[in-house]
């Protein structure tokens, strides 16, 4: 047996008796939590006074679709673009292609064909939650990820691709302990698989830092006693979370850009 998948198979065996319970708990959660709309205005611009312009594309599931906020400028992409613009001193034009409930397979078949723009300077992908909720296996997950990267590299061969860190499902207050355990462990396994996939890829990066609300609270001098400030409905991010997450992802991308520029300046 491949030891990379041992934790997955062990977790699957442990989780089998919980599946009927998880099913009914999931139905109750869907009934209890109202369905929030996706954010409006999926394209925008930041700091037009800078001379140089970079074009940003974000792709993904509900978090990238901005569920939990009114406009994308107040969501992940808005915060990401603002951070990149301020750090790189460049004008950022951004465009969002995302859909709530989509897995990576859905993105490949239903979103990628809709992207008509043919020039982006960076691509950011936020996935993982729905693939974990549908109990996607690590092998199938990476197969779908590989297909997604391949499709993007066909259209944008010179554009770096950045994957966001995985959602902190173990801390979603709307979920029961059993759902947090089963789905939370699976999403961590998918994250490790994504890290293994990207580590030897050219111009493909994964922000592998695990999100914990306690660490965020300490870093941003916020109360760690009230987890609800980080969620709009118990599982989707609040505007605060989108801002923190977008800033951290922007800083990660900035370091990659700076490192690349420094390498290019060093004579061979």
């Amino acid at each position: 047996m491949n030891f990379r998948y041992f934790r997955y198979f062990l977790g699957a065996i442990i989780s089998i008796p919980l599946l009927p319970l998880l099913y009914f708990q999931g139905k109750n959660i869907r009934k209890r939590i109202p369905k929030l709309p996706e954010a409006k205005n999926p394209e925008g611009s930041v700091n037009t006074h800078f001379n140089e312009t970079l074009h940003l594309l974000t792709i993904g599931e509900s978090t990238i679709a901005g569920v939990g906020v009114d406009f994308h400028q107040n969501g992940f992409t808005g915060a990401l673009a603002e951070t990149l613009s301020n750090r790189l001193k460049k004008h950022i034009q951004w465009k969002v292609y995302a859909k709530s409930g989509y897995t990576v397979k859905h993105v490949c078949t239903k979103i990628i064909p809709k992207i008509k723009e043919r020039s982006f300077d960076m691509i950011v992908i936020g996935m993982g939650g729905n693939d974990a909720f549908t109990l996607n296996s690590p092998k199938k997950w990476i197969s779908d990820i590989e297909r997604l990267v391949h499709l993007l590299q066909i259209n944008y061969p010179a554009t770096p691709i950045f994957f966001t860190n995985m959602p902190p499902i173990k801390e979603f207050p709307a979920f029961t302990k059993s759902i947090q355990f089963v789905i939370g462990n699976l999403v961590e396994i998918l994250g490790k698989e994504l890290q293994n996939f990207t580590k030897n890829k050219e111009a493909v990066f994964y922000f592998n830092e695990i999100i914990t609300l306690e660490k965020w609270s300490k870093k941003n001098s916020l109360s760690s006693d009230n987890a609800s400030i980080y969620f709009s409905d118990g599982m989707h991010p609040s505007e605060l979370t989108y801002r923190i997450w977008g800033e951290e992802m922007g800083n990660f991308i900035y370091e990659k850009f700076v490192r690349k520029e420094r390498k290019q300046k060093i004579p061979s």
Side-chain angles (χ1 to χ4, degrees), residues 2-268:
N2 190 327
F3 284 101
R4 286 169 52 200
Y5 299 141
F6 177 76
R7 184 184 171 193
Y8 168 72
F9 286 114
L10 179 62
I13 292 171
I14 295 173
S15 302
I16 287 174
L18 297 174
L19 291 180
L21 176 63
L22 296 179
Y23 173 76
F24 286 108
Q25 288 179 345
K27 287 189 68 175
N28 289 332
I29 290 171
R30 283 193 291 270
K31 288 180 181 178
R32 190 173 71 249
I33 297 178
K35 186 174 181 180
L36 298 177
E38 297 175 355
K40 300 174 183 177
N41 295 0
E43 57 184 310
S45 185
V46 180
N47 291 334
T48 57
H49 60 276
F50 288 126
N51 293 327
E52 187 175 353
T53 299
L54 292 180
H55 295 86
L56 166 68
L57 167 65
T58 59
I59 301 171
E61 53 190 6
S62 61
T63 49
I64 307 302
V67 173
V69 292
D70 48 2
F71 297 98
H72 277 285
Q73 67 184 39
N74 299 320
F76 171 79
T77 302
L80 171 64
E82 187 75 35
T83 301
L84 287 172
S85 179
N86 291 335
R87 298 216 64 181
L88 294 169
K89 305 303 180 187
K90 301 179 190 297
H91 165 219
I92 305 291
Q93 286 189 339
W94 51 265
K95 184 71 179 285
V96 180
Y97 283 92
K99 186 68 177 176
S100 181
Y102 273 16
T103 62
V104 176
K105 181 180 179 180
H106 291 136
V107 170
C108 290
T109 58
K110 297 183 179 183
I111 287 184
I112 299 302
K114 293 181 179 180
I115 303 176
K116 304 305 180 184
E117 295 86 354
R118 284 294 171 259
S119 179
F120 286 106
D121 297 292
M122 63 188 84
I123 299 171
V124 177
I125 303 170
M127 299 296 303
N130 290 316
D131 284 273
F133 295 144
T134 55
L135 302 180
N136 206 351
S137 71
K139 186 175 181 180
K140 181 63 167 59
W141 156 257
I142 288 303
S143 175
D144 291 339
I145 288 288
E146 192 165 16
R147 182 186 177 196
L148 175 58
V149 170
H150 175 69
L151 290 172
L152 289 170
Q153 289 181 332
I154 289 174
N155 293 331
Y156 314 101
T159 303
I161 299 171
F162 300 89
F163 285 90
T164 69
N165 34 8
M166 303 296 275
I169 289 175
K170 288 184 176 180
E171 303 202 47
F172 284 10
F175 289 174
T176 62
K177 294 295 183 182
S178 52
I179 292 178
Q180 289 175 345
F181 172 76
V182 174
I183 307 302
N185 283 338
L186 178 54
V187 85
E188 289 180 0
I189 293 171
L190 299 184
K192 289 184 182 298
E193 289 299 306
L194 184 55
Q195 182 177 359
N196 287 330
F197 171 77
T198 58
K199 66 182 180 182
N200 295 319
K201 293 288 182 181
E202 182 70 26
V204 182
F205 308 94
Y206 168 52
F207 186 26
N208 66 349
E209 184 173 310
I210 296 176
I211 296 174
T212 68
L213 303 185
E214 182 179 2
K215 182 175 66 177
W216 272 9
S217 294
K218 289 181 179 179
K219 185 176 180 180
N220 295 279
S221 301
L222 298 168
S223 172
S224 59
D225 299 329
N226 186 9
S228 64
I229 63 173
Y230 293 108
F231 299 93
S232 58
D233 59 359
M235 61 182 191
H236 289 105
S238 64
E239 185 172 337
L240 170 66
T241 292
Y242 280 126
R243 179 177 59 78
I244 296 173
W245 186 32
E247 287 175 356
E248 290 196 347
M249 191 67 198
N251 290 331
F252 171 76
I253 294 173
Y254 170 77
E255 294 301 328
K256 296 297 181 183
F257 262 80
V258 169
R259 194 174 303 166
K260 179 181 177 181
E261 289 177 355
R262 285 174 180 169
K263 285 184 178 180
Q264 291 174 341
K265 291 178 181 179
I266 297 175
S268 57

